[in-house]
Amino acid sequence: MVGVHTVIDCATGRPEEPIKTVDWEGKVALIQCAKAMGIQKYVFYSIHNCDKHPEVPLMEIKYCTEKFLQDSGLNHVIIRLCGFMQGLIGQYAVPILEEKSVWGTDAPTRIAYMDTQDIARLTLVALRNEKCNGKLLTFAGPRAWTTQEVITLCERLAGQDANVTTVPVSVLRFTRQLTRCFEWTSDVADRLAFSEVLTSDIVFSVPMTETYSLLGVEQKDMVTLEKYLQDYFTNILKKLKGLKAQSKQSDFYI
């Protein structure tokens, strides 16, 4: 790490890895290492509203990491995120094109998804802006969407209906309670803890006017979910049509 002056920490544990080991012990070690090396700026990606949900292990750990970084003395910027547009491709778009089941919930939770390229661009702007030093920023997309609204949008753009399998949030909560009874399924229980958030009727979004003003960018330059998915489906359906393929041929989706 010779010559490194900035750390952008966007790492997190995989689903099969223990949350505490990666997202707490690993982060503490990395922050301490950055401090010892004299890193000039540390950027940490967190989760929106993590301070309001201590019952969710990952969100509690993210909040604790924020506090640890703030107390470390490092010059830092903390960025809380709401959701990624890219994650919707594998979750909804591809299954619809493959005529496979799309899994959803009956939760009213709304999420303001954001393009990862926009997140990266705003992060670089924040890095160069001295006014952002020590700040806690939240990045959110132009509009907050429910699961059903996202599925409906994908159906319209794909030109076909989705085979939706709805999982009641109550089932997720029961499954979490069950998996907490066994040590070998404790990590699964931690992941399912997000079901507690889904039942809270919360909106994962924030007004971005002040943030745009601070960073010197405009909302019109941000990619909307409609535009992002429209581009995806247009490109994919064009390729499939050109190759005279059926929608179930998934080799060209990714």
Side-chain angles (χ1 to χ4, degrees):
M1 295 182 68
V2 177
V4 176
H5 56 77
T6 302
V7 172
I8 301 178
D9 182 6
C10 57
T12 190
R14 299 183 180 90
E16 69 273 11
E17 295 176 329
I19 292 177
K20 183 179 179 180
T21 301
V22 177
D23 286 277
W24 173 243
E25 297 174 0
K27 300 295 185 183
V28 168
L30 180 59
I31 292 171
Q32 291 175 332
C33 179
K35 176 71 173 178
M37 291 180 59
I39 292 296
Q40 297 175 21
K41 187 169 291 188
Y42 192 107
V43 179
F44 175 63
Y45 287 116
S46 188
I47 303 174
H48 177 50
N49 281 334
C50 61
D51 54 321
K52 298 179 181 179
H53 294 279
E55 75 279 5
V56 180
L58 180 59
M59 298 183 81
E60 180 186 27
I61 287 175
K62 289 291 186 182
Y63 181 59
C64 289
T65 305
E66 289 180 2
K67 304 303 290 183
F68 186 82
L69 177 58
Q70 290 168 341
D71 294 338
S72 69
L74 277 171
N75 187 17
H76 66 275
V77 179
I78 297 172
I79 300 174
R80 292 182 178 180
L81 303 174
C82 298
F84 307 108
M85 292 182 184
Q86 279 71 10
L88 301 176
I89 299 301
Q91 192 171 1
Y92 302 116
V94 171
I96 289 176
L97 289 172
E98 292 182 336
E99 300 179 357
K100 294 182 178 179
S101 292
V102 174
W103 295 88
T105 70
D106 55 359
T109 304
R110 308 181 73 89
I111 300 175
Y113 299 99
M114 198 171 188
D115 187 354
T116 55
Q117 294 186 37
D118 284 339
I119 293 173
R121 183 162 60 88
L122 293 183
T123 299
L124 291 178
V125 173
L127 275 174
R128 300 188 181 102
N129 190 334
E130 294 298 322
K131 294 180 180 178
C132 293
N133 291 345
K135 291 278 189 179
L136 193 160
L137 307 175
T138 299
F139 291 170
R143 173 187 166 186
W145 298 73
T146 65
T147 296
Q148 187 54 55
E149 288 173 339
V150 173
I151 293 175
T152 300
L153 177 60
C154 289
E155 288 178 320
R156 177 168 61 83
L157 295 174
Q160 61 190 71
D161 294 334
N163 179 19
V164 182
T165 300
T166 301
V167 180
V169 173
S170 58
V171 173
L172 295 177
R173 298 184 69 180
F174 172 76
T175 304
R176 185 201 175 197
Q177 294 300 323
L178 183 63
T179 53
R180 290 177 65 183
C181 297
F182 307 98
E183 183 176 354
W184 54 277
T185 56
S186 59
D187 291 336
V188 176
D190 288 345
R191 299 289 174 178
L192 288 173
F194 277 104
S195 62
E196 303 292 336
V197 180
L198 294 177
T199 60
S200 61
D201 193 18
I202 198 170
V203 177
F204 277 80
S205 181
V206 293
M208 289 287 289
T209 304
E210 291 186 8
T211 301
Y212 289 145
S213 178
L214 175 65
L215 299 179
V217 299
E218 297 186 18
Q219 181 175 342
K220 65 180 180 62
D221 297 326
M222 301 296 107
V223 175
T224 64
L225 183 59
E226 295 97 325
K227 173 63 175 174
Y228 178 80
L229 289 177
Q230 183 179 40
D231 289 346
Y232 172 79
F233 280 107
T234 298
N235 292 333
I236 293 304
L237 294 176
K238 182 178 180 180
K239 289 181 181 180
L240 292 177
K241 183 178 180 180
L243 294 169
K244 296 181 180 180
Q246 297 179 358
S247 63
K248 62 182 180 180
Q249 294 178 304
S250 59
D251 291 343
F252 309 102
Y253 296 165
I254 301 177

